[in-house]
Amino acid sequence: MEKSINLTLKVWRQASPTAKGKFETYSLKNISTDASFLEMMDILNEQLVKEHKEPVAFDHDCREGICGMCSLYINGHPHGPDGEITTCQLHMRNFHDGQTITIEPWRSAAFPVIKDLVVDRGAFDKIIQAGGFVSVNTGGVPDGNAIPIPKDKADEAMDAASCIGCGACVAACKNGSAMLFLSAKVSQLALLPQGKVEAARRAKAMVAKMDELGFGNCTNTGACEAECPKNVSLSNIARLNREFLKAKFKD
Amino acid sequence: MAKIEESATTEQVTTEQRIITVQDAKIPEGPLAEKWTRYKSSQKLVNPANKRRLDVIVVGTGLAGASAAASLAEMGFNVLNFCIQDSPRRAHSIAAQGGINAAKNYQNDGDSIYRLFYDTIKGGDYRAREANVYRLAEVSNDIIDQCVAQGVPFAREYGGLLDNRSFGGAQVSRTFYAKGQTGQQLLLGAYSALSRQIGKGSVKLFPRYEMMDVVIVDGRARGIIARNLVTGKLERFSAHAVVVGTGGYGNAFFLSTNAMASNGSAAIQMYKKGAYFANPAYAQIHPTCIPVHGDYQSKLTLMSESLRNDGRIWVPKKKEDAEAIRAGKLKPTEIKEEDRDYYLERRYPAFGNLVPRDVASRAAKERCDAGYGVGNTGLAVYLDFSDAIKRLGEDVVRARYGNLFQMYEKIVDDNPYKTPMMIYPAIHYTMGGIWVDYELQTSVKGLFCIGEANFSDHGANRLGASALMQGLADGYFILPYTIQNYLADQIQVPRLSTDAPEFLEALKAVDEKINKLMKIQGERSVDSIHRELGLVMWDFVGMGRTKEGLETALERIKEIRNEFWNKVYIPGKSQDFNVELEKAIRLADFIEIGELMARDALMREESCGGHFREEYQTPDGEALRNDEDFSFASCWKYTGEGKEPELWKEPLEYEFVKRQQRNYKA
């Protein structure tokens, strides 16, 4: 049932990439528990604008958990305390009256802060650009049903492909590793006959790019899987390692 | 278009003479099924060596923008690609859930290119161009093949072949899907093709950049002014052609299923530079969205149309039951089967719960207005899965719709496996947009418009699973051909300097507009004014429109414009990461769009598709078209600040299909 709660927010404010950041404290009254977390942030910003102060910058767009734009490290968890969802789908019924909520940006060497809670995740795009595709041009491809794909393989590929590229896995990892993100793409394409052809080349190119961009190594703590809003499985990392080793043996 | 431009400059042109002809629209001659083939075999092409010397700007990285940018770069053009998000993968196409149509006839249920064409024309209530729609149906099959080749993990049968589901407005199963995340998977496919080209250096990507204006040199689009959203600085970019794929303008309503940053500003910029804005009134209200619940609400969430495959829509038969439910004294599960009104099955036995969106939305409004609505506001109907769960088991329902059910539960805090979902219509998609000819070129030379941003294929109502089809058709298979017919004449044109006076002037104009906004320093937040606009739009330019209501809307929008330009408050600096300024720039354009929508709806004295004028309906409440007087696309031409736009008409000739009153009853 809907009710209202009062909150204290400790929000990371940082004017620019090079500026020194710090926490600011704000108090919010009468927040409906049916509001989403980002609607709560909207209310905070409305309040700040009314006081002629600069609102808190944070990334968000679709607000239905699929674009991967929203981030936020909430009380020590990427995307907050509720499981299997992004920040935009987190609702205030997960918090209690009088609670203090600490809100930080993703913290990772590979994701520098742009402003306040906004970070630059361009490194993820660069990993995909290094090999996260099937090398086909538009046109001249065979009929969609020309190559049958076993349903379980297609389903498994779909599960890996459900990654939204939000970066929670990197934010959750003490090493700042992008292995879950990278392995999800490598797995999706390696599982399908269309992507199998260049699987080895893909794995090597993407791993090399990841290392170059300053992401850390994977030490199998599993924090990425636990915090992933889309339940992308750790088994993808095992598959990536297999593909990577196969590629290395071939060299 | 030369003829139009000449005649437009003479003051004495009357409405009757403001006609866009078949020749202006460049529709090829010949039988319907041969037009596209004929076009392709006679169009001009650009040879590989010359492609390298030609630059194309593509604004937007959704299905249309990303697929166009990737395909053009694969062909050898230099592409500059812009998006407002931090990554091209985040464009709002990503949120499309249900699926994509194609005329493969894999299910052997009688589908064909002609049938997909016919369903789309009929679904659009006979307000789209036959030639364009036929071409769309024709290339639909190539899209599926292309996506499969990219590694898009479509749903498959146990035999390994592609699976299909049904969607509204069709009696065949032609919708391909990837769980409830089809848009995501198709966009990631286009994004991967785009990424491959970025990696090769053939596309230069500008993320967190927003188009601020199109630059016209000697009557041709030659570049854009864009704002770097991180630094706030304005930058100039030149090219031989400009392609805009920036999506729809549904956020004029503030609350919609669009993403927060989705906007109509690029459309307004093109309109103000001479491109016609066509059919602005055609907006789609989607029947299955989670109902509005609080005044702090920032957006409305769609529940995929695919749910209507297995869900049954109903309200209580008795008013007292509806009242008891609204008061929280009765639960939907306590209403007996015989006391439920499955009103879509009752009114439309042939299509049942799978009638097109406009029909389903209006039927929900009709029941709620009559006092049978549920939820605490009375503005909701039930979408019930209990029969499907009985028939198929919970596991099958979970496999089909699990992610949607989870999303519903997280938002509403109610378990849809146990108790029916509550849904209500919400603004979702805009069929109207920038007018384009058969080549997807606007009335400005060298300026192209693709995807939802253009007006072309859906008429007055879009069928489910057709937006993804159109976006990818435009981007992969149509624009990369048709743009060459234009670029073939541009090979001698050297790269233009962005120091040309036209670029400096355009930049100065944008800069002045931003300074004007920053200087207002009033007391109202951007969102508070946007919400006000949204309410006016929903109340008067929404599902049921009247002459009186639309006139009120035009008055109210004038007041809102005044309020905005005198009282908005934007904090911070313009040359900085400034979200409030971004929103203000977009709202200024939404106000213009809102006015155009109301003006167009007032002009169109008929009901068709998503445009429902209450004065024009059949005795049983269906949309009543007037083909005699309104069989045209309304194309609005900008005539200057504060002046009324001119109405130009593109008559819609139906050469191959016989127009009928749309019937989903039998």
Side-chain angles (χ1 to χ4, degrees), chain B residues 130-369:
Chain B
E130 278 183 322
N132 284 55
V133 177
Y134 194 88
R135 175 177 64 185
L136 174 67
E138 226 177 324
V139 302
S140 68
N141 292 339
D142 296 338
I143 297 171
I144 302 303
D145 300 340
Q146 188 64 37
C147 296
V148 168
Q150 289 169 345
V152 169
F154 282 119
R156 288 183 181 260
E157 306 267 16
Y158 281 103
L161 302 183
L162 292 158
D163 192 17
N164 292 117
R165 53 168 60 143
S166 305
F167 254 63
Q171 288 173 313
V172 295
S173 284
R174 64 159 71 100
T175 305
F176 295 78
Y177 66 101
K179 278 200 176 167
Q181 290 132 271
T182 317
Q184 178 198 26
Q185 294 310 313
L186 296 179
L187 184 66
L188 292 182
Y191 162 74
S192 72
L194 175 64
S195 295
R196 178 167 161 247
Q197 296 307 315
I198 296 168
K200 285 181 170 178
S202 42
V203 174
K204 195 162 180 345
L205 178 74
F206 297 88
R208 293 195 197 269
Y209 271 77
E210 184 159 3
M211 176 175 169
M212 290 284 121
D213 207 355
V214 52
V215 181
I216 312 283
V217 181
D218 295 332
R220 291 171 190 269
R222 289 294 189 203
I224 64 167
I225 306 295
R227 184 165 177 268
N228 178 330
L229 299 181
V230 174
T231 64
K233 291 203 168 68
L234 296 174
E235 298 177 23
R236 293 159 285 163
F237 300 90
S238 77
H240 293 88
V242 176
V243 180
V244 177
T246 49
Y249 48 87
N251 268 346
F253 285 64
F254 188 73
L255 286 181
S256 83
T257 65
N258 288 1
M260 302 303 286
S262 298
N263 67 80
S265 290
I268 285 293
Q269 291 153 25
M270 292 187 280
Y271 166 68
K272 290 194 170 171
K273 286 290 165 83
Y276 297 115
F277 203 129
N279 301 333
Y282 293 163
Q284 178 163 79
I285 315 267
H286 197 297
T288 52
C289 302
I290 298 177
V292 177
H293 57 81
D295 54 9
Y296 47 81
Q297 197 158 354
S298 59
K299 81 155 270 160
L300 295 170
T301 303
L302 174 75
M303 290 282 108
S304 167
E305 176 161 320
S306 62
L307 293 169
R308 289 199 269 143
N309 268 290
D310 290 308
R312 296 178 70 195
I313 294 176
W314 63 275
V315 291
K317 241 181 215 165
K318 298 181 192 153
K319 251 189 203 160
E320 56 268 31
D321 285 351
E323 280 156 14
I325 286 175
R326 289 202 290 271
K329 290 177 194 151
L330 198 62
K331 286 186 186 141
T333 43
E334 292 164 356
I335 308 254
K336 285 201 266 330
E337 188 62 26
E338 61 268 28
D339 292 332
R340 300 176 175 194
D341 177 15
Y342 296 93
Y343 57 86
L344 289 177
E345 297 170 30
R346 168 171 60 79
R347 286 179 65 178
Y348 308 100
F351 282 70
N353 291 295
L354 281 174
V355 290
R357 292 173 176 175
D358 55 335
V359 177
S361 291
R362 275 199 294 279
K365 179 179 190 289
E366 187 276 331
R367 282 293 81 190
C368 293
D369 288 352

Side-chain angles (χ1 to χ4, degrees), chain B residues 495-513:
Chain B
R495 291 204 160 97
L496 219 72
S497 161
T498 54
D499 289 332
E502 290 87 352
F503 280 87
L504 299 174
E505 272 164 36
L507 182 124
K508 192 167 156 243
V510 175
D511 198 38
E512 279 168 4
K513 180 178 162 186

Side-chain angles (χ1 to χ4, degrees), chain B residues 415-472:
Chain B
N415 179 352
Y417 294 99
K418 302 276 177 250
T419 181
M421 278 186 185
M422 280 192 288
I423 52 161
Y424 198 67
I427 192 95
H428 178 57
Y429 183 92
T430 48
M431 284 74 68
I434 294 301
W435 182 89
V436 287
D437 60 22
Y438 190 74
E439 296 182 321
L440 306 181
Q441 188 166 206
T442 70
S443 40
V444 175
K445 285 193 194 105
L447 182 61
F448 294 77
C449 189
I450 55 177
E452 187 181 349
N454 75 27
F455 90 117
S456 65
D457 296 342
H458 306 295
N461 173 55
R462 178 176 65 74
L463 290 182
S466 284
L468 305 186
M469 173 172 69
Q470 186 224 337
L472 290 180

Side-chain angles (χ1 to χ4, degrees), chain B residues 328-572:
Chain B
K329 290 177 194 151
L330 198 62
K331 286 186 186 141
T333 43
E334 292 164 356
I335 308 254
K336 285 201 266 330
E337 188 62 26
E338 61 268 28
D339 292 332
R340 300 176 175 194
D341 177 15
Y342 296 93
Y343 57 86
L344 289 177
E345 297 170 30
R346 168 171 60 79
R347 286 179 65 178
Y348 308 100
F351 282 70
N353 291 295
L354 281 174
V355 290
R357 292 173 176 175
D358 55 335
V359 177
S361 291
R362 275 199 294 279
K365 179 179 190 289
E366 187 276 331
R367 282 293 81 190
C368 293
D369 288 352
Y372 296 92
V374 296
N376 49 15
T377 57
L379 292 175
V381 299
Y382 290 123
L383 178 61
D384 195 334
F385 288 86
S386 54
D387 276 359
I389 290 171
K390 251 182 254 159
R391 190 176 75 241
L392 304 162
E394 197 171 309
D395 286 346
V396 174
V397 172
R398 193 183 304 277
R400 281 185 195 168
Y401 312 112
N403 66 320
L404 299 169
F405 277 41
Q406 185 234 20
M407 185 151 76
Y408 182 86
E409 188 167 356
K410 290 290 180 191
I411 294 172
V412 183
D413 203 22
D414 214 358
N415 179 352
Y417 294 99
K418 302 276 177 250
T419 181
M421 278 186 185
M422 280 192 288
I423 52 161
Y424 198 67
I427 192 95
H428 178 57
Y429 183 92
T430 48
M431 284 74 68
I434 294 301
W435 182 89
V436 287
D437 60 22
Y438 190 74
E439 296 182 321
L440 306 181
Q441 188 166 206
T442 70
S443 40
V444 175
K445 285 193 194 105
L447 182 61
F448 294 77
C449 189
I450 55 177
E452 187 181 349
N454 75 27
F455 90 117
S456 65
D457 296 342
H458 306 295
N461 173 55
R462 178 176 65 74
L463 290 182
S466 284
L468 305 186
M469 173 172 69
Q470 186 224 337
L472 290 180
D474 285 2
Y476 282 133
F477 296 110
I478 301 171
L479 177 96
Y481 279 91
T482 58
I483 199 172
Q484 292 189 57
N485 208 29
Y486 173 77
L487 288 172
D489 295 335
Q490 304 294 308
I491 51 176
Q492 302 295 342
V493 179
R495 291 204 160 97
L496 219 72
S497 161
T498 54
D499 289 332
E502 290 87 352
F503 280 87
L504 299 174
E505 272 164 36
L507 182 124
K508 192 167 156 243
V510 175
D511 198 38
E512 279 168 4
K513 180 178 162 186
I514 290 175
N515 286 337
K516 191 174 164 193
L517 283 168
M518 294 301 295
K519 277 197 194 123
I520 299 170
Q521 296 289 307
E523 66 270 4
R524 293 200 53 184
S525 71
V526 179
D527 280 357
S528 74
I529 302 174
H530 198 167
R531 277 179 201 277
E532 205 176 313
L533 174 69
L535 282 177
V536 169
M537 296 303 291
W538 183 249
D539 287 345
F540 302 111
V541 199
M543 266 190 289
R545 301 163 172 177
T546 62
K547 178 170 187 284
E548 200 188 6
L550 291 164
E551 282 165 354
T552 310
L554 285 169
E555 281 307 307
R556 292 282 297 114
I557 293 169
K558 264 199 200 99
E559 290 161 24
I560 290 169
R561 178 189 287 118
N562 209 16
E563 180 85 0
F564 173 80
W565 284 101
N566 287 298
K567 296 210 175 134
V568 76
Y569 171 73
I570 304 164

Side-chain angles (χ1 to χ4, degrees), chain B residues 622-658:
Chain B
E622 306 296 337
L624 186 62
R625 270 195 343 258
N626 175 353
D627 291 339
E628 189 97 345
D629 301 317
F630 291 96
S631 180
F632 59 82
S634 45
C635 309
W636 297 93
K637 188 182 162 77
Y638 183 70
T639 55
E641 201 74 53
K643 289 190 193 149
E644 289 208 0
E646 271 174 19
L647 174 62
W648 286 69
K649 295 176 182 175
E650 182 193 339
L652 295 167
E653 315 285 354
Y654 278 81
E655 222 183 311
F656 304 95
V657 167
K658 194 173 166 291

